[in-house]
Every structure is written in C-alpha cells, then in structure tokens.
Amino acid sequence: MAIEELMAKVFNEIIEGQQVNKKIGDWTISNLNSLSMISLMYNQDAVYGFQVEIKDNLIQFNNYHREAKKGTGTESLGQLEKSLKSLALSRNQKIVVLFYTFGQEDTKSWLEKNRYTKSGKEIYQKEFLPK
C-alpha cells in the first residue's frame, strides 16, 4: 500500500474521532493535543498543522501552521495532496484544504502554481473530489 493511502487511513481515523500518534514513511501524524488538530512532521524538516472540520457533505482541512527547510516544502505538500485525494476516494466525500498565506509571497506563488483558488483576502483553497 502506498504511503499516501496509509496517510489517508490515519486521517480517516482522526475524522472518526480516534486519537493517533503514528509514523508512516517519512511522516509523523498526531492529534494527541486535540482530536480535531492534526500535527504533521515530514523528516523533521517540514511541519504542518491542520484543524479538521466535518461539514455537511465535506471535510475541511484548515492549515494553521507550516514551515519547511532544505527544500522539503514542495515534496511534502505534493505527498500531502496525494493523501487527501486518496482520502476523498476512500470516503467517497469531497475534501477541501484551506491555506492562509499570512502575507508570504512564496506561499501564494506555490498555491497559485498548484491550482489553488483564492477564496478570501489571504485564503486559498483546493478541492479533492472522490472521482
């Protein structure tokens, strides 16, 4: 099973209300501090934080923290996107991820390059559909 599929399984456990602290490949995924707050670490070089919200017919991942060094941002975000697509497929449900730019032009450029759409002053979003 691919890393992205294993990550999607852990995300699903979190969505279902389970507390997790797991290592999958180069990733550590945890929600020990709060059931709805996911902390992700990639090779100890990239760190992400998401709040997960379950809304009517979709699941929303709101990014509240990110930092990356040694050029790991693009690689880790690409793998994270693949895991969200896998999650959408496995749940047969739309997944929406929101990133706030916090005034960071490099983040804005990356989001636009990777087909995120602007949905607020400094907010970009992307939908992962179950097809």
Side-chain angles (χ1 to χ4, degrees):
M1 187 175 290
I3 295 291
E4 295 84 3
E5 292 170 326
L6 293 171
M7 289 174 66
K9 282 185 158 201
V10 174
F11 291 154
N12 195 54
E13 290 173 14
I14 291 169
I15 291 163
E16 297 297 328
Q18 295 179 42
Q19 198 169 39
V20 302
N21 187 32
K22 296 188 177 182
K23 177 107 170 107
I24 298 171
D26 295 323
W27 290 91
T28 300
I29 304 171
S30 175
N31 69 339
L32 294 179
N33 292 325
S34 171
L35 289 177
S36 66
M37 306 293 264
I38 302 174
S39 174
L40 297 132
M41 187 181 305
Y42 180 78
N43 274 341
Q44 299 190 19
D45 292 323
V47 179
Y48 301 95
F50 290 92
Q51 179 179 10
V52 179
E53 295 180 57
I54 301 167
K55 298 183 171 199
D56 301 323
N57 61 343
L58 63 90
I59 297 171
Q60 188 167 295
F61 283 69
N62 297 305
N63 176 250
Y64 64 85
H65 178 78
R66 68 186 169 277
E67 60 183 279
K69 57 185 177 182
K70 298 182 183 176
T72 56
T74 297
E75 179 182 339
S76 59
L77 282 170
Q79 196 165 43
L80 180 59
E81 283 189 335
K82 289 177 185 174
S83 68
L84 293 172
K85 177 64 177 175
S86 180
L87 179 64
L89 290 169
S90 69
R91 290 186 62 89
N92 194 31
Q93 190 169 23
K94 180 166 60 172
I95 307 295
V96 176
V97 63
L98 297 176
F99 278 98
Y100 302 84
T101 61
F102 303 114
Q104 297 173 329
E105 287 299 316
D106 59 337
T107 297
K108 178 182 170 187
S109 296
W110 189 91
L111 293 169
E112 289 173 349
K113 177 183 168 191
N114 288 280
R115 292 185 253 142
Y116 283 75
T117 57
K118 196 167 186 179
S119 65
K121 185 177 178 182
E122 289 196 49
I123 303 170
Y124 285 78
Q125 76 173 34
K126 189 170 191 178
E127 296 180 353
F128 298 89
L129 303 173
K131 45 181 163 174

